[in-house]
């Protein structure tokens, strides 16, 4: 792979290439380039300009994406669609300011580590995380809609 990057579930990420995907040839016809995603259930895309591709995370997971330009240049990427941990971490801090909890993603699973005031508070935090993640998985929007 040429690179690996992350896309947040339900959000868009703009990818800008160094050269145009489509160029006009001598006969003023546009040649076609190729964009292929290994698992379209995980990642979707749309062309938004001659060098811009908008990637949309549809489902948690890892897939590959290959871009072949009309000049037969091939670019290969590994794309990880991930949860929005920053948003979830902020929500935990807002609701449980006395807890010191960190989140990490391992594949499709989340790991909570740190200290809470009590076992009861830790269960509440765990329940909140499960509820938020379930809402993200069902809506596919991370609670924010799609944005670039």
């Amino acid at each position: 792979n040429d690179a690996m990057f992350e896309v947040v579930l339900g959000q868009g990420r703009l990818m800008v290439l160094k050269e145009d995907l489509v160029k006009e040839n001598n006969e003023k016809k546009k040649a076609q380039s190729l964009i292929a995603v290994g698992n379209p259930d995980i990642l979707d895309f749309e062309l938004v300009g001659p060098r811009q591709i908008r990637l949309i995370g549809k489902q948690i997971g890892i897939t590959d994406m290959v871009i072949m330009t009309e000049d037969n240049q091939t670019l290969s990427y590994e794309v990880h669609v991930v949860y929005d941990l920053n948003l979830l971490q902020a929500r935990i801090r807002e609701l449980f300011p006395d807890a010191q909890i960190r989140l990490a993603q391992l594949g499709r699973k989340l790991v909570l580590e740190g200290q809470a005031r009590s076992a009861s508070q830790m269960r509440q935090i765990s329940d909140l995380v499960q509820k938020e993640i379930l809402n993200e998985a069902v809506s596919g929007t991370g609670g924010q809609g799609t944005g670039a």
Side-chain angles (χ1 to χ4, degrees):
N1 289 329
D2 294 310
M4 184 282 291
F5 56 90
E6 295 179 345
V7 176
V8 174
L9 178 65
Q11 295 184 15
R13 180 173 182 164
L14 189 64
M15 179 178 198
V16 180
L17 303 173
K18 291 182 181 179
E19 58 184 76
D20 291 350
L21 281 172
V22 177
K23 298 177 186 173
E24 290 190 18
N25 63 19
N26 294 337
E27 299 171 9
K28 299 293 182 194
K29 294 180 184 174
K30 291 193 174 185
Q32 282 292 337
S33 56
L34 170 73
I35 302 173
V37 172
N39 187 342
D41 292 334
I42 293 175
L43 183 73
D44 198 4
F45 69 89
E46 64 181 327
L47 292 174
V48 292
R51 293 183 184 187
Q52 296 87 20
I53 303 168
R54 184 169 183 262
L55 305 173
I56 302 111
K58 293 173 56 179
Q59 179 180 307
I60 297 297
I62 300 171
T63 190
D64 65 315
M65 181 176 77
V66 176
I67 300 170
M68 190 165 67
T69 67
E70 70 171 10
D71 298 333
N72 289 327
Q73 179 185 9
T74 301
L75 305 168
S76 179
Y77 301 95
E78 182 176 294
V79 183
H80 296 235
V81 177
V82 298
Y83 294 112
D84 189 349
L85 295 184
N86 292 331
L87 180 65
L88 192 50
Q89 188 79 52
R91 182 99 168 112
I92 291 170
R93 276 194 301 270
E94 174 187 342
L95 296 174
F96 305 97
D98 56 339
Q100 301 297 315
I101 303 295
R102 290 175 304 282
L103 295 172
Q105 184 172 340
L106 295 173
R108 298 181 61 86
K109 298 184 187 249
L110 287 181
V111 176
L112 283 81
E113 62 180 354
Q115 297 177 343
R117 189 172 20 119
S118 65
S120 173
Q121 186 183 56
M122 194 61 191
R123 277 192 300 278
Q124 289 176 324
I125 293 169
S126 179
D127 290 346
L128 170 71
V129 169
Q130 288 178 6
K131 177 182 165 197
E132 292 290 328
I133 293 305
L134 181 61
N135 286 342
E136 271 191 33
V138 169
S139 68
T141 63
Q144 298 181 348
T146 57

